[in-house]
Amino acid sequence: MMKGLLPVFRRELSGYFTTPVALVFIVIFLFLSGVFTFQLGKFFERGQADLVVFFNFHPWLYLFLIPAVSMRLWAEERKTGTIELLLTLPISLSAAVVGKFLAAWAFAGLALALTFPLWITTNYLGNPDNGVIFAGYVGSFLMAGAFLAIGSCISATTKSQVIAFIVSVVICLLFMLAGLKDVQAFVSGWLPLSAVQVLGGFSFLSRFDAISRGVLDLRDLIFFGSVIIVFVAATGVVVNMKKAE
């Protein structure tokens, strides 16, 4: 049962906009997206009507920005003691966990949606394949959810937002780099080939790269969905274990 899901979602989402956190995050996200796309990605110099360079930098943007969003989800509740109050309200634990996660995901989705002028600009300058661009947005949103789910789980394990941020960045980085050839070559020396291949299958970079190029493979969608479900469920387990501390 998800009793109380909607109130938790509203409370958490409104919490972002009662402080400068939302504005700061959105401004930084849009600014860095522009810098990476136009300066580093040389959007105009490429002379191609697509958003490939825009999406290429999303994993690296999320690596630092998403843990900054997720670090407060549970660490702050535990540090201030409000987690006890939250869990004594007539809401289920699963509703609290899922509601907080969905609010953070919706917030990240709003920041992503605000990049729509770039999509409009691309259509103004040329005739892009809008199906590919849409797939890129879908993949980016799913990847943001996976990062948030990991960050939420880590946030539930500690009262320190700083520790939650650092550990989340490290774990997300491991998920990103798992499919790189250099990493695969490094671990192949002490892992069997099958294990190396399985490890490569967990690479966020490989999964997202395929989606951002317009290849909506069901396996990639299921992968990101599975990561979200597993880590949100793990968050519930951790919160239940830590609520008495």
Side-chain angles (χ1 to χ4, degrees):
M1 292 292 291
M2 290 286 183
K3 182 181 179 182
L5 173 64
L6 192 57
V8 172
F9 175 81
R10 288 174 175 169
R11 168 186 177 269
E12 194 68 23
L13 187 59
S14 63
Y16 289 107
F17 296 95
T18 55
T19 67
V21 170
L23 180 62
V24 171
F25 175 85
I26 290 174
V27 169
I28 291 176
F29 178 75
L30 295 179
F31 174 74
L32 291 180
S33 294
V35 169
F36 287 154
T37 302
F38 294 106
Q39 296 295 323
L40 300 181
K42 301 186 181 304
F43 177 78
F44 292 114
E45 289 83 346
R46 291 176 67 247
Q48 297 182 23
D50 59 41
L51 291 181
V52 171
V53 292
F54 169 67
F55 289 118
N56 280 347
F57 290 105
H58 276 208
W60 303 103
L61 269 176
Y62 289 161
L63 179 61
F64 296 100
L65 294 182
I66 295 298
V69 174
S70 64
M71 67 182 185
R72 59 178 289 276
L73 285 177
W74 291 103
E76 185 179 39
E77 299 273 15
R78 293 190 59 203
K79 183 179 180 180
T80 59
T82 54
I83 188 173
E84 297 175 1
L85 174 62
L86 176 65
L87 297 179
T88 54
L89 296 174
I91 60 175
S92 64
L93 175 62
S94 57
V97 172
V98 175
K100 287 169 84 60
F101 166 76
L102 290 180
W105 199 10
F107 175 64
L110 173 63
L112 180 62
L114 289 176
T115 63
F116 73 92
L118 197 56
W119 192 346
I120 295 175
T121 301
T122 307
N123 275 272
Y124 177 77
L125 296 174
N127 296 300
D129 187 334
N130 286 307
V132 174
I133 295 177
F134 177 75
Y137 273 100
V138 171
S140 182
F141 185 58
L142 286 173
M143 185 171 60
F147 274 113
L148 277 172
I150 293 171
S152 176
C153 184
I154 300 303
S155 178
T157 65
T158 177
K159 296 179 180 179
S160 170
Q161 294 190 41
V162 175
I163 293 175
F165 174 79
I166 294 173
V167 175
S168 297
V169 169
V170 171
I171 293 177
C172 290
L173 180 62
L174 293 175
F175 269 99
M176 285 176 57
L177 301 182
L180 295 184
K181 291 182 179 178
D182 290 340
V183 175
Q184 297 255 301
F186 176 74
V187 299
S188 63
W190 43 279
L191 284 179
L193 178 60
S194 57
V196 174
Q197 291 174 338
V198 170
L199 182 65
F202 284 92
S203 171
F204 281 13
L205 287 178
S206 301
R207 300 281 185 179
F208 177 64
D209 181 64
I211 298 176
S212 66
R213 294 182 185 281
V215 183
L216 278 175
D217 192 319
L218 185 60
R219 291 171 295 183
D220 294 329
L221 302 181
I222 291 175
F223 169 77
F224 282 118
S226 299
V227 171
I228 291 171
I229 292 172
V230 167
F231 277 95
V232 169
T235 302
V237 174
V238 174
V239 170
N240 192 44
M241 292 172 58
K242 297 283 187 178
K243 64 182 180 182
E245 294 183 6

